[in-house]
């Protein structure tokens, strides 16, 4: 089965679908209509789950047909009535949960079997034989994870592509570096973006590693022994291992070599762990975007529709709502990972069902949250507004201070005592800060150039040259950007096997 995300283009925006009949007096998850793409919502929908359940059942029947224990008529009957089963999802859920339904059973798989069998009268006789519920559900959930990861992978490549174009565009643009929220040395906007992009690149590489290890449960029965399959296939030309392989091949999955009743719950934790890592990178990105969009810095801005309202009380506000949404949604995935870890470590013996209820929400909603987070990061980068005058103003206000480090390096290289020079520059900078605070004028360069002792150094002319245009002291930042692009980021973007 081809479960590639390439055939499902990702739109920039999701949200409430016009024309959909919502009952707004019933509870809906915000992920049902506000966050996440239609493609990701479809992956985790009850309807698509029913489609995948039918696929698993048909793959099992096909393997057993090869073994000679299912007839071609029975197999074809299941195939012919797959869509009837999918369209009967309301009745399936009713038989599971509605005690007033005459065919209520209180069990999700039993209700699904009964609905499928109602239309597939012939194939229904062998439906689910000789499976346990998790032979069905575990493999279905893994298939959903594979599809969801493909969508996330496509999102990630788009985000990395936007980073690449912005890094290339701004690799030479000077900006004021900030350490400890204090003015540091100059760098370039391209380097700042490269550092943020590198976090996402690390996540993408981890996603590739994890993606290759998303395996199904296989067909191993209630405790992992394959006992029921082994019994069914006695006297046929197929054994339990061959049966499992045939089913997994049709589903496009590899099976874990050993399991208990379910696929290893560590898999859920591993997958959500990668999503949580993406959330960490996105939250860091969002925090930085909030800072650089603030009125005090005003260096960058996220794209804004002219009709976007920032505040109902303060009409002038231009709130960084996309960056703030990124942070809020990313935070939740981190806590979902913690829950997934607890689920993985609290599996009693061969299994209980306490791993089920919470996972029904935190697994799909982790994917939906990251889907929305990455969409917003992509949109921010795509429409990123760079206020070059603000970048220059902030750099100019503090640029003279940034000359202290290269002056210190220069004089130390000339043989002067490093600590002595550091103390002198520290003292002069302190005086200049007081002047800056009181007058708004930075006179650090003037103080350095007028210092009698510094005037006596042989390197005085070089000191003066450093102070002339200190904002240009960006080291090899442009070259670092170019190297990051050519050796690390672009190879990922150009590798079609990762598409």
């Amino acid at each position: 089965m081809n479960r590639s995300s390439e055939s499902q283009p990702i739109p920039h925006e999701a949200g409430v679908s016009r024309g959909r009949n919502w009952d707004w007096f019933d509870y809906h998850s915000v992920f049902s209509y506000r966050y996440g793409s239609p493609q990701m919502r479809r992956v985790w929908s009850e309807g698509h789950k029913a489609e995948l359940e039918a696929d698993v059942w048909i793959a099992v029947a096909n393997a057993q047909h090869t073994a000679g224990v299912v007839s071609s008529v029975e197999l074809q009957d299941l195939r012919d009535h797959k869509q009837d089963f999918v369209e009967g999802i309301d009745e399936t859920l009713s038989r599971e949960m509605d005690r007033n339904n005459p065919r209520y059973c209180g069990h999700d798989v039993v209700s699904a079997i009964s609905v499928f069998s109602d239309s597939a009268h012939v194939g229904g006789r062998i439906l689910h034989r000789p499976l346990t519920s998790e032979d069905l559900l575990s493999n279905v959930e893994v298939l959903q994870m594979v599809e969801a990861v493909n969508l996330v992978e496509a999102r990630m490549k788009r985000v990395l592509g936007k980073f690449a174009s912005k890094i290339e565009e701004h690799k030479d643009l000077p900006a004021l570096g900030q350490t400890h929220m204090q003015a540091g040395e100059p760098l370039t906007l391209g380097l700042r973006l490269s550092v943020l992009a590198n976090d996402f690149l690390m996540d993408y590489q981890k996603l590739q590693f994890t993606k290759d290890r998303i395996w199904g449960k296989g067909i191993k029965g209630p405790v992992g022994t394959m006992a029921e399959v082994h019994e069914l296939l006695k006297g046929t030309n197929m054994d339990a291992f061959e049966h499992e392989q045939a089913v997994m091949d049709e589903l496009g999955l590899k099976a874990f070599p050993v399991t208990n009743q379910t696929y290893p719950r560590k898999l859920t934790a591993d997958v959500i762990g990668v999503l949580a890592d993406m959330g960490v990178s996105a939250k860091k990105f969002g925090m930085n975007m909030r800072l650089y969009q603030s009125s005090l810095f005003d260096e960058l801005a996220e794209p804004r529709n002219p009709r976007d309202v920032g505040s109902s009380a303060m009409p002038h506000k231009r709130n960084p709502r996309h960056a703030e949404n990124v942070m809020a949604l990313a935070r939740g995935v981190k806590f979902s990972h913690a829950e997934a870890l607890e689920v993985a470590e609290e599996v009693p013996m061969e299994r209980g069902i306490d791993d089920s209820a919470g996972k029904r929400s935190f697994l799909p909603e982790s994917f939906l949250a990251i889907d929305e987070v990455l969409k917003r990061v992509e949109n921010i980068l795509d429409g990123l507004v760079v206020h070059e005058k603000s970048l220059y103003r902030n750099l100019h206000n503090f640029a003279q201070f940034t000359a202290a480090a290269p002056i210190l390096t220069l004089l130390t290289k000339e043989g002067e005592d490093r600590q002595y020079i550091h103390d002198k520059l520290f003292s002069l900078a302190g005086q200049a800060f007081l002047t800056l605070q009181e007058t708004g004028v930075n006179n650090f360069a003037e103080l350095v150039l007028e210092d009698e002792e510094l005037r006596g150094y042989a390197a005085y002319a070089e000191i003066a040259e450093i102070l002339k245009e200190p904002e240009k002291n960006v080291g090899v930042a442009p070259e670092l950007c170019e190297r990051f692009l050519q050796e690390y980021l672009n190879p990922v973007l150009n590798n079609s096997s990762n598409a």
Side-chain angles (χ1 to χ4, degrees):
M1 291 186 177
N2 181 12
R3 305 191 185 278
S4 170
S5 61
E6 287 186 88
S7 60
Q8 299 177 326
I10 301 171
H12 280 288
E13 297 296 337
V16 179
S17 300
R18 292 178 181 270
R20 177 175 288 180
N21 294 319
W22 292 91
D23 179 1
W24 292 112
F25 291 90
D26 194 6
Y27 176 77
H28 301 280
S29 166
V30 292
F31 293 103
S32 299
Y33 61 91
R34 186 176 296 275
Y35 303 124
S37 66
Q39 288 86 352
M40 188 64 80
R41 285 200 289 269
R42 189 186 192 285
V43 167
W44 296 104
S45 67
E46 288 296 321
H48 186 52
K49 179 184 174 185
E51 290 175 331
L52 295 176
E53 287 175 343
D55 287 342
V56 173
W57 274 324
I58 291 169
V60 169
N62 192 33
Q64 293 173 11
H65 172 61
T66 303
V69 295
V70 167
S71 70
S72 58
V73 174
E74 290 168 329
L75 174 59
Q76 190 59 46
D77 192 44
L78 294 178
R79 288 173 173 162
D80 290 344
H81 291 93
K82 171 184 172 178
Q83 192 57 36
D84 294 333
F85 166 66
V86 173
E87 292 174 1
I89 185 65
D90 286 335
E91 179 62 19
T92 300
L93 293 173
S94 176
R95 292 182 191 183
E96 177 194 352
M97 296 183 292
D98 183 2
R99 293 178 183 274
N100 293 320
N101 189 314
R103 299 186 65 178
Y104 164 78
C105 63
H107 192 285
D108 53 354
V109 175
V110 172
S111 66
I113 294 169
S114 69
V115 170
F116 203 165
S117 299
D118 281 351
S119 55
H121 299 293
V122 179
R125 294 178 303 197
I126 54 89
L127 186 65
H128 199 67
R129 187 185 68 182
L131 311 181
T132 190
S133 294
E134 281 297 328
D135 286 329
L136 177 72
L137 298 178
S138 277
N139 288 310
V140 165
E141 193 164 272
V142 170
L143 289 169
Q144 289 175 296
M145 279 194 274
V146 169
E147 293 183 22
V149 163
N150 284 338
L151 290 174
V152 170
E153 180 184 21
R155 281 274 191 215
M156 283 290 286
K157 288 197 74 171
R158 289 171 64 131
V159 166
L160 292 173
K162 297 300 181 184
F163 266 118
S165 64
K166 295 302 177 182
I167 292 167
E168 179 65 39
E169 182 180 356
H170 301 300
K171 63 185 178 183
D172 298 308
L173 182 61
L176 179 65
Q178 302 275 349
T179 62
H180 307 277
M181 298 297 293
Q182 301 290 311
E185 296 181 356
L187 42 61
T188 68
L189 179 57
L191 182 60
R192 178 179 288 160
L193 293 172
S194 295
V195 172
L196 295 170
N198 188 57
D199 287 349
F200 285 94
L201 180 60
M202 293 169 65
D203 299 331
Y204 183 82
Q205 292 164 339
K206 193 170 185 178
L207 179 68
Q208 297 302 306
F209 177 86
T210 304
K211 178 183 175 182
D212 292 339
R213 288 155 183 80
I214 302 178
W215 299 348
K217 177 200 170 179
I219 308 298
K220 295 185 173 69
V223 295
T225 62
M226 296 183 169
E228 289 78 10
V229 178
H230 175 69
E231 182 64 30
L232 176 69
L233 297 177
K234 282 182 178 178
T236 71
N237 61 354
M238 180 181 288
D239 62 26
F241 296 102
E242 293 167 332
H243 174 270
E244 178 179 79
Q245 188 63 54
V247 174
M248 293 294 104
D249 285 348
E250 184 167 341
L251 296 175
L253 291 178
K254 184 174 181 179
F256 281 101
V258 292
T259 69
N260 50 29
Q261 190 173 111
T262 72
Y263 68 80
R265 293 314 189 202
K266 280 182 66 69
L267 174 60
T268 312
D270 287 348
V271 170
I272 296 183
V274 177
L275 304 184
D277 283 343
M278 294 176 189
V280 169
S281 301
K283 193 163 182 280
K284 175 182 170 182
F285 172 84
M287 173 58 76
N288 278 275
M289 282 302 304
R290 288 177 71 185
L291 291 172
Y292 294 124
Q293 289 183 82
S294 70
S295 301
L296 295 178
F297 288 99
D298 192 36
E299 294 181 349
L300 303 174
E302 60 188 37
R304 180 176 179 269
N305 188 303
R307 296 168 63 186
D308 283 344
V309 176
S311 168
S312 62
M314 295 170 282
H316 69 281
K317 296 286 289 298
R318 300 170 66 90
N319 296 345
R321 64 185 185 91
H322 290 298
E324 291 174 340
N325 268 284
V326 163
M327 294 183 67
L329 291 168
R331 183 187 304 124
V333 182
K334 183 166 57 177
F335 294 115
S336 291
H337 183 218
E339 186 172 359
L341 288 170
E342 288 202 22
V343 167
E345 69 189 11
E346 294 179 358
V347 178
M349 299 183 182
E350 277 61 59
R351 196 232 174 168
I353 63 165
D354 52 320
D355 63 345
S356 178
K359 184 162 55 61
R360 290 178 187 269
S361 61
F362 73 67
L363 178 57
E365 291 188 1
S366 293
F367 275 103
L368 284 158
I370 285 300
D371 188 50
E372 180 71 21
V373 162
L374 294 177
K375 179 189 74 176
R376 288 180 184 252
V377 170
E378 178 191 341
N379 288 349
I380 290 171
L381 290 168
D382 188 44
L384 185 66
V385 180
V386 178
H387 297 154
E388 294 194 21
K389 290 183 178 179
S390 294
L391 283 166
Y392 175 79
R393 182 193 67 237
N394 294 337
L395 181 54
H396 179 73
N397 286 343
F398 294 96
Q400 293 182 33
F401 292 130
T402 70
I407 291 173
L408 178 62
T409 300
L410 170 66
L411 293 180
T412 302
K413 183 179 177 182
E414 294 292 316
E416 304 300 332
D417 182 271
R418 185 188 186 283
Q419 190 57 46
Y420 179 79
I421 299 300
H422 184 282
D423 290 344
K424 175 172 282 294
L425 294 174
F426 175 79
S427 176
L428 295 174
Q431 297 175 49
F433 259 115
L434 289 175
T435 302
L436 179 62
Q437 290 166 347
E438 293 175 2
T439 68
V441 176
N442 189 337
N443 68 340
F444 179 69
E446 180 182 341
L447 292 174
V448 170
L449 292 173
E450 292 180 352
D451 185 87
E452 290 296 327
E453 187 173 3
L454 292 175
R455 288 173 68 90
Y457 287 133
Y460 178 78
E462 293 176 72
I463 294 173
E465 191 64 28
I466 291 173
L467 285 165
K468 188 180 296 184
E469 292 183 299
E471 63 272 9
K472 292 186 177 181
N473 183 35
V474 297
V476 294
E479 290 83 357
L480 286 168
C481 292
E482 193 61 35
R483 181 184 178 193
F484 176 63
L485 287 173
Q486 298 305 321
E487 298 184 19
Y488 297 91
L489 198 49
N490 288 343
V492 168
L493 296 174
N494 296 332
N495 186 355
S496 59
S497 66
N498 287 332

